[in-house]
Amino acid sequence: MKNKKRKTDFFPYLMSLPAIAAISSVCLYPLLQGIYLSFTTTKLTSPDVMKFVGLNNFVRLLSDKSFWSALWFTIVYTFVSTIMAYLMGLAVALMMNREIRGKNIVRALLLIPWVVPAVVGTTSWTWMLNDQTGIVNNLLKQLGLIDKSILFLANPVMAKVTVIAFCVWKTFPFMALVILASLQSINAEYYDASKIDGAGALQRFFYITMPMIRRESLLAVVLMVMWNFNRMDFIYLMTQGGPVNSTRVMSIYSYYTAFFRGSIGYASTISVAMMVFMSGFLLLYFRIKKNEVDE
Amino acid sequence: MKRKLLYRILLDLLLAALLMILLFPVVYMIISSFKSSGEIIMNRDFLPRKWTVENYVWILLKTNFGTYSVNSLYVAVVVTAITTTIAAMAGYALALYRNKSRFFGLFSKLLLLLQMFPGMLMVIPLYRSFSVMSMLNSRNTLIVLYGTFSLPFGIWLLSGFFEGFPKEVEESGRIDGCTKFQIFTRLVLPISSPGLASAAIFTFINAWNEYMIANIFIQSDMKKTLPLGLTNFILQFGSEWGNLMAASTITIIPVSIFLVFTQKYIVQGLTAGAVKG
């Protein structure tokens, strides 16, 4: 059609131009700006006045008790809920990894907690866990397990447990489906061979199943850790970080600092600290991955 | 043989019990929405004594629920159309050039890296910029933000999908004298509906469910999306559980319909995204 000359091929650049433009202006540019803001004392009410204060915000962060308690709960929340979601996902995936009648329906049902909007999930959980009219407390009372209602969202310790349980409920379907797909790609011959060799079910699980799904599992866990670490809507919608800040994670702390107290400079500093932690975590992951390749 | 059958039945029962517990919050929500406002506080039984739709009538007639729904639908549909198109184009470029060009190799890594950054770090400067441009309180602002934040996953998913295509498709196009763009629009896209569907579904669900960004950028009641409107109800009618449950139930209807018809694509997308890595 056209004469073919060897020169720079613009085609891929043109094709990805809209995406690159959007990501640069709505993700990368704000990101750099956010990092800059973390060195300033910018206020929400006068966003044009950006007073550069060097490392002052970071020094303040180190002695900020609210920050350390938020950091601690963020870590606990992230890792406990990710590990529990993984274990539950693994259990469900193992149960589903066989011939099931109505497989599609089961999979669709399994996905429900994951696709339901966070607002809807938290509303129905709050309703179920209500101390006076909630069905969970009433049921436990009828069974004679408790005399007084459990304050699932008003007691600081119980609130922590509840938000973690909610996160597990909401995210385990993702884990289950990723693990299931990875289980189904294991060649059945391995199992047949091990049966002939006389391996038991437990041995098969630890020496065939787990090594075969290891790569996908690791990636799913890493993604989930990053999502849980940065996400705030689950907890915000359930407890707003309360009672007495017991469920306040770093993202909620940053949000409050920016939009209620109006210090967007310091709020950015908190977010930058989050980013530093996640970079550390990601470096660890890449090191593990690299070691695996070297082996 | 008998032991195997017993084992299977046991597993089926266990799975069914587990599913029932896990789905209970949603099932109970739907059932509660049919209890009258008096009954919902007094009646502690699971099922309503008298099934009623008064909560639904109230929600649809006496609140701005219709407006919220229209806003949500508008935002989600526009975002889905735009993002899927842009992601398909970039995903195709990435699939062809990821291993050939350093630029696209980096671009591919950047997409994964973007998952790492805390949303607040972007949202705070964005809020600042949009308030300077006086573009707060606009559905189009939501479209820009949701659209872009969904791009990395969409591109990732689609590039994985395009990579799976046989090389013959492109070769046959070249022999027929098509330009690269024509190969993409006339040969590749028509056979890509499963991949495009996965990307579209993910984008739609994310946009439909999103709460935090909408909460920060939208204040006026007439611009609110459903999740935002729903939290509004909680603040306004805190203890009117029946109404809340009805509103929640309506909110999940579109996503549920989606789920029934498209769960295959959702599973494909999830696994393509995570397994590729």
Side-chain angles (χ1 to χ4, degrees), chain B residues 36-51:
Chain B
S36 73
S37 52
E39 199 186 329
I40 200 158
I41 299 173
M42 302 308 292
N43 177 11
R44 300 197 167 162
D45 296 341
F46 178 61
L47 290 175
R49 293 204 185 103
K50 200 170 149 249
W51 294 71

Side-chain angles (χ1 to χ4, degrees), chain B residues 238-253:
Chain B
S239 50
E240 296 284 328
W241 288 105
N243 296 332
L244 274 180
M245 295 300 131
S248 300
T249 305
I250 302 175
T251 308
I252 64 168
I253 288 174

Side-chain angles (χ1 to χ4, degrees), chain A residues 1-2 4 9 11-16 18-20 22-23 25-31 33-35 37 42 44 47-48 50 88 92 95-96 98-101 104-120 123-128 130 132-135 138 142 169-170 172-174 177-178 181-182 215-216 219-220 223 226-227 230 232-233 236-237 251 254-255 258-259 264 267-268 271-272 274-275 278-279 282 286 289, chain B residues 4 8 11-12 14-15 18-19 21-26 28-29 32 40-41 44-46 86 88-90 92-93 96-97 101 103-104 107 110-129 131-132 144-145 148-149 151-153 155-156 174 177-182 184 202 205 208-209 211-212 215-216 227-228 230-231 234 241 244-245 248-249 251-252 255 259-260 263-264 266-267 270-271 273-277:
Chain A
M1 218 169 159
K2 276 179 192 165
K4 279 247 168 176
D9 186 359
F11 173 72
Y13 297 98
L14 285 176
M15 287 285 276
S16 41
I20 291 173
I23 290 175
S25 52
V26 181
C27 298
L28 297 180
Y29 175 66
L31 214 55
Q33 214 181 7
I35 294 172
L37 280 173
T42 314
L44 192 66
D48 291 330
M50 292 194 276
M88 217 163 109
V92 172
M95 277 193 257
M96 285 178 69
R98 62 203 164 97
E99 297 283 311
I100 297 180
R101 250 171 286 139
N104 286 345
I105 297 169
V106 176
R107 279 205 305 202
L109 289 175
L110 192 68
L111 271 169
I112 285 179
W114 189 71
V115 294
V116 158
V119 193
V120 172
T123 310
S124 73
W125 272 57
T126 316
W127 160 231
M128 277 173 39
N130 187 289
Q132 278 158 29
T133 48
I135 193 165
N138 286 332
Q142 270 171 15
W169 178 75
K170 197 86 180 60
F172 91 93
F174 170 83
L177 289 172
V178 170
S182 147
R215 212 177 65 92
E216 287 87 352
L219 189 80
L223 276 177
M226 293 196 286
W227 291 336
N230 291 329
M232 60 184 291
D233 51 352
Y236 182 75
L237 286 165
S251 44
S254 172
Y255 169 73
F259 294 102
I264 54 180
S268 302
S271 290
V272 168
M274 290 174 71
M275 185 181 77
M278 270 301 98
S279 323
L282 215 57
F286 283 128
K289 219 175 132 188
Chain B
K4 233 181 178 170
R8 263 188 68 175
L11 263 184
D12 281 345
L14 196 66
L15 191 64
L18 202 71
L19 270 180
I21 295 172
L22 292 169
L23 295 179
F24 186 78
V26 177
Y28 188 55
M29 171 187 92
S32 301
I40 200 158
I41 299 173
R44 300 197 167 162
D45 296 341
F46 178 61
I86 296 180
M89 289 166 63
Y92 186 64
L96 289 185
Y97 293 86
S101 129
F103 178 79
F104 285 96
F107 185 40
L110 176 77
L111 294 180
L112 182 64
L113 215 62
L114 277 174
Q115 310 279 319
M116 179 193 92
F117 296 106
M120 269 302 137
L121 196 56
M122 293 177 242
V123 166
I124 293 170
L126 282 168
Y127 182 87
R128 204 183 139 263
S129 311
S131 82
V132 169
V144 170
L145 297 179
T148 313
F149 289 148
L151 267 180
F153 188 77
I155 298 173
W156 202 27
R174 217 170 303 147
C178 294
T179 63
K180 280 177 177 165
F181 190 68
Q182 284 169 333
F184 175 64
F202 271 93
I205 291 179
W208 184 265
N209 291 356
Y211 169 76
M212 221 54 225
N215 176 40
I216 290 171
L228 213 50
L230 211 57
T231 44
I234 299 174
W241 288 105
L244 274 180
M245 295 300 131
S248 300
T249 305
T251 308
I252 64 168
V255 194
L259 192 63
V260 172
Q263 60 87 14
K264 196 175 87 197
I266 298 183
V267 174
L270 268 178
T271 47
V275 177
K276 277 266 168 189

